[in-house]
């Protein structure tokens, strides 16, 4: 039976920013079979309706392409519903109250947790909580409050449960416990990424059903801000284990975001060759090819996009802005590229490399250029992730090798700490947004959520445009800021390159996938200080409504009850202000 002529869905009376130079503005769009059918004025588009067409009046609101977060970690947070989210909480006082409220309903045997996504500089008080405040808020349940991958705060029940100060606590590299005058650990923990990943394995773990619930509600949080595509950049849940959770949603067509993934194989602890483990996982454990989609019906639904973002623990330059840069010995970096990255290039496996500091980028590129002489990259998609302090010269070298750069918006949250470590002058040029954009290199802005920073892309967009961090401090030089259109492109059309989907994602254009967002305010005209507060009132992915608020709330899909029943998400929502 042939489809009835006309559109499945029409959105009209909108102020559409298409992201397409050929047709930059319009007032209506039509959708058919999950793709944009036509874009144009109301009268032309409404003429495409039939008896089954669903009509949505945008009420003169701003409509933009769906947001693409090219670097985030949804599958690293399969305990999402166990955690209190401090993202967007305006005062420390409110944050502490949330802790106290949650402690009263957290059952015995479980922990009260805040795991990343926040910054002390977002609070009106502009400071970290004290241990005394945290202990008062949570007196009788184990508690961990983690700030990015920089530090964590433990109360006494948590230290007792972990065996801190005893032989029960494992010997973790690079961990530092603050101690009082008697040499007793206070509960403040400093370290790098691996320390905090290890701590996470030592607390109560969710069940399989709770992990699926975590996936459902973290995606709900993304949809709330207009995110319709992400690239999951790996974590402690390696392929194919994490994919079993995604498959639960995919088989029922309930995966409300496109989720290509790259894979990170940590092994079972200790020093391992992560590249060898990756090759084994995709060729022997559960064979899969680059670009293969594990979702049965959704384009780019759950595609394997290669290895990364960490390719070796031995050359990982953790970006803890509260501490000096981690500089890898150049010969060690070169040896890693020539011996291990070479294996990926030989097998045509795309890769993404976490590398933050220019001092480490230079030897990486030295070696990659050498690899390219013998085994040409020749169209193989690869990228540098983060690249906070990359030089203009190295930007040019990446471009010549056909690579991309996925920077992130952590400076929006953590620039005040960066300034204390490196100085304001360096912060004003970190990252070099204007040279990056002007270079024409494939470029995305991303969040690196849910721990290193918030999953709200508008916080990063606000920083790129205004030059201000969440504290209100000026942290980007005037000449290093972007226009509103440029900033949005890095979260839409620019980010689509990293999905290998730039011909069908990131713009409102006929033939493109039907991913778009109606905003609660006009991003292009509101005062700068309001940009970080932008959110969606309607998010459409693959031609279906995946989120609705305000006058569209009745169109929002009903989600199953959150698990566990005592989950903080049930009481506080996925982000401050949702409940």
């Amino acid at each position: 039976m042939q489809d009835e002529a006309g559109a499945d869905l029409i959105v009209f009376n909108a102020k559409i920013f298409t992201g397409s130079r050929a047709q930059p503005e319009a007032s209506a769009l039509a959708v058919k079979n999950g793709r944009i059918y036509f874009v144009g004025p109301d009268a032309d588009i409404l003429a495409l309706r039939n008896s089954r067409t669903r009509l949505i009046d945008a009420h003169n609101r701003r409509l933009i392409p769906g947001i693409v977060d090219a670097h985030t970690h949804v599958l690293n947070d399969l305990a999402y519903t166990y955690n209190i989210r401090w993202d967007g909480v305006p005062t420390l006082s409110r944050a502490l109250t949330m802790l106290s409220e949650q402690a009263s309903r957290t059952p015995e045997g479980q922990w009260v947790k805040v795991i990343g996504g926040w910054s002390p500089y977002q609070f009106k008080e502009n400071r970290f909580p004290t241990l005394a405040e945290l202990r008062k808020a949570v007196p009788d349940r184990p508690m961990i409050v983690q700030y990015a991958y920089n530090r964590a705060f433990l109360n006494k029940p948590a230290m007792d449960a972990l065996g801190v100060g005893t032989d029960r606590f494992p010997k973790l590299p690079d961990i530092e416990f603050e101690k009082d005058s008697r040499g007793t650990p206070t509960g403040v923990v400093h370290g790098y990424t691996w320390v905090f990943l290890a701590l996470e394995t030592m607390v109560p773990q969710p069940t399989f059903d709770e992990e699926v619930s975590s996936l459902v509600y973290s995606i709900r949080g993304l949809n709330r801000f207009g995110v319709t595509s992400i690239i999951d950049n790996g974590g402690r849940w390696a392929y194919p284990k994490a994919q079993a959770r995604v498959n639960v949603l995919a088989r029922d067509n309930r995966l409300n975001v496109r989720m290509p993934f790259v894979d990170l194989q940590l092994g079972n602890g200790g020093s391992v060759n992560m590249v060898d483990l990756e090759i084994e996982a995709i060729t022997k454990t559960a064979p899969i090819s680059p670009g293969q989609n594990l979702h049965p019906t959704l384009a780019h639904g759950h595609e394997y996009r290669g290895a990364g973002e960490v390719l070796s623990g031995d050359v990982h330059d953790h970006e803890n802005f509260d501490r000096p840069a981690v500089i890898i010995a150049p010969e060690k970096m070169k040896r890693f590229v020539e011996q291990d990255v070479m294996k990926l290039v030989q097998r045509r496996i795309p890769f993404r490399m976490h590398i933050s500091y220019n001092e480490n980028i230079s030897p990486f590129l030295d070696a990659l250029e050498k690899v390219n002489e013998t085994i040409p990259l020749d169209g193989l998609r690869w990228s540098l992730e983060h690249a906070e302090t990359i030089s203009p010269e190295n930007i040019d070298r990446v471009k010549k090798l056909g690579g991309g750069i996925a920077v992130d918006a952590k400076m929006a949250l953590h620039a005040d700490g960066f300034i204390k470590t490196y100085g304001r002058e360096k912060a004003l040029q970190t990252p070099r947004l204007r040279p990056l954009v002007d270079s024409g290199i494939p470029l995305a802005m991303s969040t690196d959520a849910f721990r290193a920073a918030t999953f709200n892309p508008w916080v990063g967009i606000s920083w790129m445009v205004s030059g201000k961090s969440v504290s209100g401090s000026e942290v980007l030089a005037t000449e290093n800021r972007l226009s509103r259109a440029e900033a949005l492109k890095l979260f839409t059309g620019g980010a689509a390159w990293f999905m290998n989907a730039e011909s069908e994602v990131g713009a409102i254009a006929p033939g493109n996938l039907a991913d778009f967002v109606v905003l609660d305010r006009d991003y292009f005209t509101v005062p700068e200080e309001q940009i970080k507060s932008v959110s969606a009132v309607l998010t459409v992915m693959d031609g279906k409504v995946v989120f609705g608020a305000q006058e569209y709330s009745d169109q929002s899909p009903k989600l199953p009850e959150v698990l566990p029943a005592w989950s903080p998400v049930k009481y506080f929502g996925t982000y401050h202000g949702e409940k």
Side-chain angles (χ1 to χ4, degrees), residues 224-265:
R224 182 174 181 259
F225 291 112
V227 177
T228 54
S229 295
I230 66 167
I231 299 177
D232 192 89
N233 260 266
R236 57 183 283 237
W237 308 91
Y239 173 80
K241 182 176 181 180
Q243 280 56 49
R245 285 78 179 156
V246 182
N247 290 345
V248 172
L249 302 184
R251 73 188 181 203
D252 297 329
N253 201 29
R254 293 192 293 126
L255 185 65
N256 289 340
V257 69
R258 303 184 199 275
M259 191 191 294
F261 68 98
V262 295
D263 186 44
L264 186 165
Q265 294 280 339

Side-chain angles (χ1 to χ4, degrees), residues 411-466:
M411 287 289 281
L413 270 75
H414 309 313
D416 298 74
F418 185 99
I419 288 169
K420 293 174 185 176
T421 306
Y422 300 102
R424 180 173 296 278
E425 186 176 348
K426 190 173 182 72
L428 293 173
Q429 301 298 327
T430 302
R432 291 180 167 88
L433 288 179
R434 175 50 56 196
L436 282 162
V437 168
D438 290 348
S439 74
I441 196 170
L443 180 68
M445 182 57 65
S446 64
T447 65
D448 198 18
F450 283 67
R451 300 179 178 206
T454 180
F455 62 89
N456 180 354
W458 296 99
V459 171
I461 291 171
S462 173
W463 157 74
M464 287 188 279
V465 171
S466 70

